[in-house]
Structures are given as C-alpha cells and as structure tokens.
Amino acid sequence: MISRERPNSFVLVKQHEHAQVSAEFARHWKRGPFPRESTLYAIANHDVSWQRPDERVIWNEERDRPYSFVDYPSEPKAQAYKEGLDRLEAEDLYAAYLCSLHYTTLMQDSEKEVEARFVAAESERQERLLVGMSPEESENAERNLRFLKLCDGLSLFLCLNEPGGSGYPPPYPDGFAFDGEKYVPEWTDRRTLRFEPNPFSKPFEVSLPYVEVGKDRRSLGGGFAELRISC
C-alpha cells in the first residue's frame, strides 16, 4: 500500500486504486500517447500486481508501521510482480511490455538476489514481446514508459500529500517533467490542485479511496478523498 503518516495514524491507499487515478491524469493529458488504448490500459493497471498483497494491512514490526510499497519484502513482491505481468500479457501485450519495463527500472540496481533474478526473467519477457510489435509501437515505447512514470508520480503526489499541503514528498522530490517541460503543482484550496503550465484538456475530478489505521494498530475507518484537478 501507499502510506502517508499523520501524528497518530497512517493513511493507506491501495496501489491499484492509485493506478486508476494515474489513468485519469493520462486520459486528460492534452497530447496523449501512441498507441493510446494500450498505453492507457498499462497506466490504469501498472499496479495490478498489488491487488492480492493489498487485501490486508501487514505490519512492519521492525519499523512499527504498515508495510508500504517501498519496504515490502522482496520475495513476495517479485512473485506478485511476475503474476501481475503474466496476467497483463494475457490481456494486452503492449501494456505488459510497458509495465515490465516499469518494474525492471524499479529493481535494476538492486543487489538483492531475488530482485536480480526478476530483472533477468523480465528481460527475456521483454525480448519476446518486442518481436510482435509494430515499428510505431516499439519506437514510442520509451516515451510511453516516461508518460506512465509521470502519471504514476502525479497520482503518488495526491496519495503522499495532505490535500492543500505543500512540498514534494518522495519518490518525486524534484517535481514532474515530461518532453522537456516541467510542471509545478499548486493547491488552490483544500481540494483543488492545478499545474503550471496546464497540461490538461479540461478540468476533472478524481476520487481516491483510503483507509486509516492508528499507530496503536486500530482501524479508524476510511473514505474517499474527492479532489479536483483544475486548468
């Protein structure tokens, strides 16, 4: 899960729910990707691997907080990634290719053996998928991967920041850039976010489900963060 710490609790967002919000950023982007539908499918499902691990909150005893996607144990994480990519490959080959690239960039410098094995296996998958692509698909893959990561980051900004707050939390402390343009987020009120310059075709709403867990591990319920992205 994605975890945001409060003084007495943690706000948790399931990874696949966050990915759905990533896709809303992608759908409203002025200059969309090619191929559009497969790339949008990849963005909406880039965290489908986390659906099973996120079914329940797992506590990190060493850090005394819920596990997040940052510190989740490597063995089950790599297995979940593989299962998610197998599922994507059965549904959309180009989406599977982009998501495989995305996962391997997250693990490519890891010194952990299980993660190194995962990267090696995914390199073989990528070579296999690349054979069936059109020239246009392969030529646009690098840009579409960057676009996926951008939309991932924009959604993470909503998950990791208190609405109306300030700052750039990890893992995107340097802001957001794409195709040579840097986009600066600004909260205009407690539920409205805008970017300068504006990259979106029109304003839109996003609904972000969350649960809250006390630092004493009690469930504090949950809800939806109803947010507006303005132009």
Side-chain angles (χ1 to χ4, degrees):
M1 294 189 184
I2 300 165
S3 175
R4 180 171 80 246
E5 187 172 3
R6 287 177 171 170
N8 299 305
S9 65
F10 299 96
V11 175
L12 305 175
V13 177
K14 292 183 178 182
Q15 292 277 79
H16 189 58
E17 301 288 359
H18 134 77
Q20 304 310 296
V21 174
S22 300
E24 288 304 308
F25 283 108
R27 291 187 184 100
H28 290 87
W29 198 263
K30 286 180 180 177
R31 296 176 294 278
F34 175 87
R36 178 176 171 81
E37 292 308 317
S38 287
T39 304
L40 290 180
Y41 189 81
I43 294 169
N45 291 280
H46 75 268
D47 278 330
V48 72
S49 298
W50 286 99
Q51 282 186 302
R52 184 177 296 175
D54 281 353
E55 287 177 351
R56 63 189 181 93
V57 178
I58 302 176
W59 209 264
N60 183 334
E61 299 294 344
E62 183 177 340
R63 300 183 63 188
D64 195 26
R65 59 180 298 154
Y67 274 114
S68 75
F69 69 100
V70 176
D71 60 355
Y72 200 82
S74 294
E75 189 77 46
K77 178 166 64 176
Q79 181 62 31
Y81 279 2
K82 179 189 180 302
E83 291 173 359
L85 290 169
D86 289 345
R87 176 177 164 185
L88 282 173
E89 185 173 351
E91 296 169 350
D92 188 306
L93 298 182
Y94 192 74
Y97 181 73
L98 290 181
C99 291
S100 178
L101 289 174
H102 176 57
Y103 287 166
T104 53
T105 60
L106 298 176
M107 290 186 172
Q108 64 185 1
D109 296 323
S110 175
E111 296 180 357
K112 297 178 180 178
E113 182 180 351
V114 64
E115 296 185 2
R117 290 199 308 269
F118 171 82
V119 171
E122 286 308 309
S123 295
E124 294 179 3
R125 186 199 302 266
Q126 291 159 19
E127 291 178 7
R128 184 178 71 252
L129 294 176
L130 195 57
V131 171
M133 285 185 202
S134 69
E136 291 84 2
E137 288 174 330
S138 58
E139 287 169 9
N140 282 276
E142 190 275 334
R143 181 179 186 270
N144 288 338
L145 175 63
R146 288 190 288 108
F147 187 60
L148 185 159
K149 289 183 175 295
L150 171 73
C151 296
D152 179 35
L154 297 176
S155 180
L156 281 173
F157 182 86
L158 296 183
C159 297
L160 294 171
N161 263 329
E162 292 288 341
S166 61
Y168 291 85
Y172 295 93
D174 298 323
F176 310 103
F178 185 66
D179 284 352
E181 186 76 72
K182 186 169 184 179
Y183 299 97
V184 180
E186 177 188 8
W187 292 100
T188 59
D189 58 41
R190 290 291 298 176
R191 67 175 298 269
T192 306
L193 184 67
R194 67 181 299 274
F195 289 83
E196 181 61 40
N198 168 53
F200 302 112
S201 57
K202 61 181 180 180
F204 59 99
E205 306 276 339
V206 297
S207 182
L208 190 63
Y210 68 89
V211 296
E212 189 168 4
V213 179
K215 292 188 174 179
D216 59 2
R217 310 193 186 192
R218 289 186 301 112
S219 172
L220 301 177
F224 293 83
E226 305 290 349
L227 304 169
R228 177 176 175 80
I229 310 301
S230 70
C231 292

